Amino acid sequence: MVGDSLLRLSLGGMLMLHMKMSLVFLCSMAFGFVSSHEEIALNGDGWMVSGLNTNRSYPAKVPGSIYTDLMRQGILDDPLFRFNNEVYRWVAKQNWSYVSEFEVTANFLLFDHVILRCEGLDTVATIEINRMHIADTNNMFRRYTFDIKDALKEGRNTIHVTFQSPVAYAKRQSEAFPYEVPPVCPSPEQRGECHANFIRKEACSFSWDWGPSFPTVGIWKDLAIEAFNGPIIRYILPESRSVSDDWELSVAVHFAEVGATSSGSISLSIPALNISAKKEIHLNSDDSVVSLKFPVQFCPKTREIPTLKCRELDGIRLCLDVIFKSRNWASFAAGRRVQLWWPNGHGTPFLYDMKVTFTNSQGQNGPAHDLKIGFRTIKLVQNPIEGASGLSFYFEVNQQPIFIKGSNWIPADVFQERISRDRLENLLSSAAKANMNMLRVWGGGVYESDDFYNLADEYGILLWQDFMFACADYPANAEFLDNVRHEITHQVRRLSKHASIAIWAGNNENEWGFMAKRHTPSDPQKLKYYRDYISLTVRTIFDVVQTEDPYSRPFVPSSPSNGAETITEGWVAANPQDPHYGDVHHYDYKSDSWDWRVFPIPRFASEYGLQSWCSLETLLPVSNTEDLKINSSFCDHRQHHPQGESQMWNEISRHLKPPNNSNQTQKFIDYIYLTQINQAVGIKTEAELFRRMQDHVTPNGEGFTMGSLYWQLNDIWQAPTWSSIEYGGKWKMLHYMAQDFYAHSLISSSLNGDNLDVYLIHETPASQRNPPSSSSLKFKASKSKPKHENEAAFMERTNAPGWIVEISIYDWSKQGALKSWNFHVDKLNLTSNLIFHNNLPSMLQESECPSMQHCFLFLRASNGAESCDNWIPLSYYTDAVGLRNSQIMVSDLMQTKEQIDFSLTADAISPFVWLEAEGLNGHFSRNGFLLGHEDGRKESFTFYADQSVDLNEFSQKLVARSLMDVYM
Ligand code: BMA
């Protein structure tokens, strides 16, 4: 407390200098309107923070958090440098108080309501204004609003926000709880903190198997004081629904501070659809919802919109008081057709600007709300499959089945305030460039920022949105559940306007963890934890989702789960990983990850992954020279997955041979490259299997796979992890390979003993397919082997031109094919088509290939407009015979703005050619490819730079290596 008084003394005029006070007048006086709303933004650098046991205070920033505040003051160096995640843990173990001052005018206090609006406090905070206690908070995912009118005075005011150590708080909560709630602590490799499940805070800030522990505190989102008369709009939930051939847009507007009754008018406009409407409304309770409903596409008949009723839920009256009939909205949309929102690769993700404003009965305008809305439907289809057990599990967007291709998203930084829109755009555009159409926002991080969801809308990236519960049981007492209820209500209302969000999931791996990890079948306590799981997941989370977003999206209780089957089995399935139902998470670090036969073939793979190291370039800023060696203490410190290094080493030994350079740093560089090859090929093997199995089912009913989300897209720090993009944005080899294995057209083989099967997978963009009526997938397992068919009427089997296919065998030691099998495929009947079946030994004989070790397969298909290729070694590189060191030559360098084109040739067959241009941010058109299989053939490449780049500099920095460069 001494620290506190010191702190206040030290504020003085300095804070006022920095304080940005913005009065927001939302409507121009020129139009004769008066604003009913003014706002004092408390964001900015007009803050001081003091550690309650250090007696010192430092300038601070909002939004922000204590680690970045201390970094700016030079108290902390880069927290990600070497071992600093542990060295700086003291920061999270004490309490911190933020203080600021702001000026309030007499007029400001004349408004009916003066509210402190906290968009995000991380996490356990006490708020005081002029040293008057306002509130205590304990959930970083909630928006809090507090009436502070009585606490304010004209002139200078002070606000204190004091945060408790989240680590200490979680520990105290767990001690006060009547029983242990597992998992208590993370594995020692994670070097993290315990009891993350006892605090509603980003779980991975207590550490994860790919990330450090930085349980920071601070005001992590906007903070403002707003003053207004009459009700205020808090959320707008547009929902578009397709009604026969037309669309219906329904907009629910949530109000706060209604009082007993209020009236006014809502204006809503969508200029591109000629919609501009204003309607009188009457509100009769707090938290009122007004629902505006109208058809959008021109429809000649007069349509009556059904009257919606008021209903009572948990003491909250949800009242749809205003019902519009289409004729009330006479002027809009005549003759205008709605453009649909399509996922990436399936059409344009079209968005419409919409503006909503409330004007109170005195004619005063509230803030204008600008939204971007998309017209699309989403359905999760779980139907019985004829001839196979289980249910289907696939998404239909705009009534078209979509094979989901993507990966999993984790927080992009340990400190949310460092995640700019540019960084997010870099990551989301990278996902789109790798032909992804979905990301799963994983449940151990945060509900992401508005920028993230806006970008997902723009890029057509569907989102599988977990609620933020992961890998744990939770203390489901009344207080905790009430806290969660507020959190889920806020987040569903905040997020459901986004066209990108396709599905809600109750949590990450809590159902599976409950059944398979945290409790043995004979655990006598199991029922108690089961009840807690149901109270949280079903009675709270699902209940809120049903209330707040009842129509527009599917809900699964957990990921993975058996979907509908999980619900039938009482919300926890006997085997949540059953491949015949729902989604599956698959990790196996023992079997051969390059052998497709070891993988389960689920209906939908929402996680599967392998680790690799990030590049030396990414590690350099956070390491010293002595760290850059295999098994250094730095490497050990960064590896949070138990046995992670030995698993990668074993996999490399199995597939590629371990690195052997006598120079330790070079050996480490080679090791990084080999881990990336191992990861890329492993994930490629699994992803291709899932795509091949879209239309096929095994005799035991596995298959008809309709989704592949590998673990994980991005990184939170520089370390060995499962990511395909490094911290800082550099693509790993996996990300380059994803461009191909997620492309519309894919030629892919499966070798099983002597049998070689080749599949051609071709997706027609959903927006170009036949009308919806003929689209839905009806899976049917066929008894005849090897062909298993589904009756999908939806796909492309249209008038697409025929394909020319070339299947060749090459000898590693000779440029040019030994033999090729060329044929024509006229018509594709399915999305995934078995187009070639042969006996490999006889193919080897025909091509005079001496042995499997000497040769590889090269596959190519083209239909004039599109082409794809693939190469598959017939033995692992450990045994390959004939591979030689190669010279890779660069030519034809040419620059157009931020793009550099060039050509490459190689004088020997070179697998996994890896290009780097150290220090230049950007990515290549291809990387990790095969070069030189045709003598003298030039291949073209492009480097897409993030910033402008000099051609000379690029040519000096460009380095190419291939597999044999490792084994000198
Ligand atoms: C799954 C995920 C994450 C984890 C990953 C890799 O369990 O849901 O919790 O990081 O696998 O182990």
Side-chain angles (χ1 to χ4, degrees):
M1 284 301 118
V2 178
D4 247 5
S5 50
L6 270 179
L7 173 72
R8 269 184 289 141
L9 286 176
S10 71
L11 288 172
M14 181 191 146
L15 279 182
M16 295 310 296
L17 270 181
H18 292 291
M19 174 55 70
K20 273 190 216 136
M21 190 167 89
S22 74
L23 297 182
V24 185
F25 293 92
L26 287 143
C27 222
S28 157
M29 296 298 285
F31 292 101
F33 294 119
V34 181
S35 173
S36 66
H37 183 265
E38 290 181 13
E39 192 165 299
I40 302 174
L42 298 177
N43 288 355
D45 44 13
W47 289 79
M48 297 292 285
V49 63
S50 60
L52 294 189
N53 29 8
T54 62
N55 273 0
R56 290 192 55 191
S57 62
Y58 313 98
K61 215 171 178 171
V62 169
S65 81
I66 186 62
Y67 278 93
T68 47
D69 288 332
L70 297 178
M71 277 169 74
R72 262 192 308 276
Q73 299 316 310
I75 310 291
L76 304 181
D77 291 331
D78 179 358
L80 300 185
F81 185 70
R82 300 193 82 207
F83 310 95
N84 281 350
N85 56 317
E86 281 191 290
V87 177
Y88 294 162
R89 196 67 52 78
W90 61 269
V91 175
K93 298 216 165 143
Q94 56 174 292
N95 301 343
W96 294 92
S97 189
Y98 282 79
V99 59
S100 185
E101 293 191 344
F102 53 94
E103 200 76 27
V104 169
T105 63
N107 279 348
F108 196 80
L109 295 173
L110 292 178
F111 280 94
D112 294 346
H113 306 283
V114 182
I115 303 279
L116 178 69
R117 198 184 72 237
C118 320
E119 295 290 344
L121 300 173
D122 179 11
T123 289
V124 185
T126 298
I127 304 166
E128 294 164 292
I129 294 207
N130 299 325
R131 278 304 191 192
M132 182 191 281
H133 178 260
I134 302 294
D136 299 313
T137 73
N138 59 0
N139 189 331
M140 85 180 277
F141 305 126
R142 281 173 66 178
R143 170 205 272 166
Y144 291 97
T145 55
F146 304 110
D147 180 351
I148 55 165
K149 192 167 175 179
D150 292 343
L152 292 179
K153 56 183 197 241
E154 188 186 344
R156 186 171 294 192
N157 289 261
T158 311
I159 178 168
H160 284 80
V161 186
T162 304
F163 293 94
Q164 291 180 37
S165 155
V167 176
Y169 171 86
K171 183 164 186 284
R172 279 199 309 277
Q173 293 294 109
S174 83
E175 283 162 358
F177 203 74
Y179 48 91
E180 192 176 283
V181 184
V184 176
C185 293
S187 73
E189 289 83 355
Q190 288 183 203
R191 299 170 173 84
E193 297 299 331
C194 303
H195 312 295
N197 49 352
F198 274 91
I199 179 169
R200 292 307 300 141
K201 175 174 171 60
E202 177 181 6
C204 66
S205 70
F206 276 46
S207 82
W208 215 263
D209 58 3
W210 35 256
S213 173
F214 282 104
T216 193
V217 299
I219 302 166
W220 75 294
K221 292 197 168 210
D222 294 344
L223 189 70
I225 301 172
E226 49 185 3
F228 52 93
N229 295 329
I232 187 162
I233 293 178
R234 281 288 180 232
Y235 305 94
I236 299 170
L237 282 72
E239 189 205 321
S240 52
R241 250 186 289 171
S242 145
V243 182
S244 42
D245 285 340
D246 287 346
W247 283 83
E248 193 173 83
L249 177 67
S250 126
V251 185
V253 184
H254 289 245
F255 286 90
E257 311 301 338
V258 172
T261 59
S262 292
S263 53
S265 62
I266 291 189
S267 307
L268 183 151
S269 64
I270 307 176
L273 289 172
N274 286 341
I275 293 177
S276 169
K278 187 170 174 138
K279 193 69 194 171
E280 299 302 314
I281 59 166
H282 303 282
L283 304 166
N284 51 17
S285 70
D286 219 5
D287 203 10
S288 285
V289 184
V290 172
S291 183
L292 315 175
K293 249 173 171 259
F294 43 90
V296 175
Q297 192 174 12
F298 176 66
C299 165
K301 341 162 217 152
T302 310
R303 209 151 25 132
E304 298 281 311
I305 306 298
T307 302
L308 297 173
K309 299 197 176 70
C310 293
R311 56 195 170 129
E312 196 83 38
L313 268 173
D314 289 329
I316 299 172
R317 188 170 156 76
L318 297 177
C319 202
L320 309 163
D321 350 33
V322 191
I323 307 300
F324 296 100
K325 298 210 163 93
S326 59
R327 62 176 172 274
N328 291 355
W329 301 82
S331 67
F332 56 73
R336 300 292 291 269
R337 294 188 76 84
V338 164
Q339 305 230 38
L340 300 184
W341 184 95
W342 287 104
N344 183 40
H346 287 282
T348 308
F350 205 92
L351 294 169
Y352 289 91
D353 288 317
M354 178 170 99
K355 193 188 273 301
V356 180
T357 316
F358 173 69
T359 308
N360 69 16
S361 51
Q362 290 93 56
Q364 298 168 320
N365 282 355
H369 296 263
D370 292 307
L371 293 86
K372 283 189 187 298
I373 59 166
F375 290 85
R376 61 105 186 88
T377 59
I378 280 276
K379 208 169 141 193
L380 177 63
V381 184
Q382 300 181 75
N383 284 338
I385 294 170
E386 217 185 305
S389 61
L391 297 173
S392 65
F393 190 91
Y394 68 91
F395 288 91
E396 268 184 15
V397 180
N398 299 329
Q399 292 165 278
Q400 295 288 346
I402 303 268
F403 185 97
I404 295 299
K405 301 181 291 195
S407 57
N408 283 269
W409 174 271
I410 62 161
D413 201 289
V414 288
F415 308 120
Q416 285 288 319
E417 59 273 23
R418 299 206 295 194
I419 308 175
S420 63
R421 192 182 191 279
D422 280 356
R423 275 179 70 183
L424 290 173
E425 180 151 23
N426 203 287
L427 288 166
L428 289 175
S429 64
S430 295
K433 283 173 194 155
N435 295 312
M436 296 186 185
N437 55 30
M438 183 184 270
L439 292 175
R440 171 167 166 259
V441 182
W442 166 79
V446 297
Y447 305 96
E448 288 293 331
S449 64
D450 293 341
D451 282 341
F452 175 87
Y453 295 99
N454 291 336
L455 285 162
D457 287 348
E458 281 170 33
Y459 279 93
I461 304 287
L462 292 163
L463 297 174
W464 173 307
Q465 178 69 51
D466 283 1
F467 291 103
M468 293 301 130
F469 303 86
C471 303
D473 292 332
Y474 284 85
N477 63 12
E479 192 195 336
F480 187 86
L481 296 175
D482 179 64
N483 196 0
V484 169
R485 182 170 283 276
H486 280 95
E487 164 191 328
I488 307 296
T489 306
H490 169 56
Q491 293 297 345
V492 173
R493 287 180 182 179
R494 172 184 160 240
L495 299 179
S496 60
K497 60 177 171 281
H498 293 282
S500 52
I501 297 183
I503 182 171
W504 306 109
N507 57 64
N508 171 73
E509 295 185 355
N510 290 358
E511 181 188 336
W512 174 42
F514 174 84
M515 286 307 286
K517 292 184 176 174
R518 290 188 294 280
H519 307 284
T520 58
S522 57
D523 180 354
Q525 307 289 322
K526 206 167 171 177
L527 187 61
K528 184 171 69 186
Y529 293 107
Y530 171 73
R531 287 202 185 108
D532 286 351
Y533 179 79
I534 297 297
S535 306
L536 175 66
T537 310
V538 185
R539 302 230 168 84
T540 307
I541 300 173
F542 179 56
D543 190 48
V544 174
V545 173
Q546 257 192 322
T547 307
E548 299 295 337
D549 193 26
Y551 310 113
S552 32
R553 289 175 185 88
F555 174 90
V556 284
S558 184
S559 178
S561 84
N562 290 347
E565 172 63 16
T566 279
I567 297 172
T568 311
E569 291 182 34
W571 296 88
V572 173
N575 172 18
Q577 295 274 34
D578 188 336
H580 302 91
Y581 296 96
D583 63 323
V584 156
H585 293 188
H586 171 69
Y587 295 93
D588 176 355
Y589 303 108
K590 292 200 180 96
S591 309
D592 179 355
S593 62
W594 286 18
D595 182 350
W596 64 271
R597 293 168 300 189
V598 307
F599 305 125
I601 311 174
R603 303 281 181 253
F604 192 107
S606 50
E607 280 191 24
Y608 58 99
L610 291 169
Q611 282 202 325
S612 70
W613 267 91
C614 59
S615 63
L616 196 78
E617 185 180 1
T618 296
L619 288 170
L620 280 174
V622 292
S623 57
N624 288 341
T625 321
E626 80 238 40
D627 299 332
L628 303 173
K629 288 199 276 279
I630 298 172
N631 294 335
S632 66
S633 52
F634 169 81
C635 287
D636 181 52
H637 181 87
R638 291 319 243 213
Q639 176 56 272
H640 281 195
H641 168 56
Q643 275 106 51
E645 290 309 300
S646 59
Q647 287 162 359
M648 280 191 282
W649 189 266
N650 291 342
E651 284 279 290
I652 288 169
S653 312
R654 180 183 256 159
H655 302 132
L656 298 152
K657 288 194 233 174
N660 57 7
N661 201 296
S662 54
N663 175 304
Q664 292 302 306
T665 313
Q666 187 56 47
K667 189 172 172 186
F668 185 55
I669 295 170
D670 293 345
Y671 176 59
I672 293 171
Y673 170 64
L674 294 171
T675 64
Q676 290 205 12
I677 296 176
N678 185 68
Q679 178 200 33
V681 176
I683 301 302
K684 169 184 188 283
T685 307
E686 206 161 348
E688 286 190 8
L689 167 68
F690 296 147
R691 292 197 63 191
R692 289 199 299 274
M693 292 305 288
Q694 163 163 356
D695 292 291
H696 307 275
V697 71
T698 64
N700 72 2
E702 292 187 24
F704 293 143
T705 309
M706 283 296 285
S708 156
L709 303 174
Y710 66 74
W711 184 266
Q712 67 200 66
L713 179 79
N714 55 321
D715 259 343
I716 202 165
W717 73 335
Q718 310 87 339
T721 74
W722 294 256
S723 77
S724 66
I725 304 180
E726 302 179 0
Y727 184 80
K730 186 169 170 164
W731 291 13
K732 288 182 178 173
M733 196 179 295
L734 169 57
H735 206 77
Y736 286 103
M737 287 210 184
Q739 284 186 306
D740 293 333
F741 64 68
Y742 280 157
H744 275 308
S745 308
L746 169 71
I747 186 160
S748 169
S749 66
S750 69
L751 192 55
N752 195 1
D754 290 346
N755 291 324
L756 173 70
D757 287 343
V758 177
Y759 289 77
L760 181 56
I761 295 133
H762 176 67
E763 292 178 323
T764 297
S767 58
Q768 293 167 23
R769 291 182 199 154
N770 295 331
S773 46
S774 63
S775 71
S776 75
L777 268 183
K778 285 190 218 87
F779 290 113
K780 185 179 169 194
S782 152
K783 295 229 165 54
S784 64
K785 281 200 229 164
K787 218 167 153 206
H788 302 286
E789 253 184 78
N790 81 44
E791 287 179 341
F794 76 97
M795 292 280 175
E796 337 4 312
R797 58 200 67 123
T798 49
N799 34 11
W803 291 78
I804 296 168
V805 181
E806 193 180 329
I807 294 174
S808 313
I809 291 187
Y810 285 76
D811 186 316
W812 287 118
S813 65
K814 300 184 197 116
Q815 294 182 300
L818 296 179
K819 179 172 166 64
S820 296
W821 287 257
N822 299 321
F823 56 98
H824 197 264
V825 179
D826 284 336
K827 192 167 160 260
L828 298 178
N829 287 326
L830 303 166
T831 301
S832 166
N833 305 273
L834 178 63
I835 53 165
F836 184 81
H837 177 73
N838 212 335
N839 176 277
L840 188 68
S842 39
M843 288 174 75
L844 294 181
Q845 211 171 20
E846 277 179 61
S847 59
E848 293 176 17
C849 164
S851 78
M852 304 258 275
Q853 286 71 25
H854 285 80
C855 294
F856 67 95
L857 274 177
F858 190 85
L859 316 174
R860 193 178 153 77
S862 94
N863 70 358
E866 286 177 64
S867 70
C868 48
D869 57 39
N870 211 334
W871 100 90
I872 304 99
L874 295 175
S875 75
Y876 291 146
Y877 296 90
T878 41
D879 308 321
V881 179
L883 271 167
R884 290 190 278 128
N885 287 108
S886 65
Q887 286 287 331
I888 296 173
M889 302 299 296
V890 187
S891 60
D892 311 334
L893 277 148
M894 230 180 71
Q895 180 167 23
T896 343
K897 291 190 179 153
E898 278 141 31
Q899 212 172 298
I900 293 177
D901 297 322
F902 57 97
S903 303
L904 295 179
T905 48
D907 63 358
I909 300 181
S910 319
F912 304 112
V913 175
W914 186 242
L915 305 174
E916 286 188 284
E918 213 176 292
L920 301 180
N921 293 336
H923 64 275
F924 294 90
S925 49
R926 286 190 291 147
N927 218 343
F929 47 88
L930 178 79
L931 191 70
H933 56 294
E934 293 300 336
D935 192 12
R937 179 157 124 188
K938 259 191 196 176
E939 298 205 27
S940 320
F941 296 85
T942 304
F943 179 70
Y944 301 98
D946 292 345
Q947 299 95 22
S948 63
V949 52
D950 177 72
L951 187 62
N952 272 335
E953 192 187 351
F954 174 79
S955 61
Q956 276 159 27
K957 290 198 162 156
L958 181 65
V959 176
R961 53 151 54 205
S962 75
L963 185 63
M964 291 315 284
D965 294 332
V966 172
Y967 308 112
M968 298 304 248

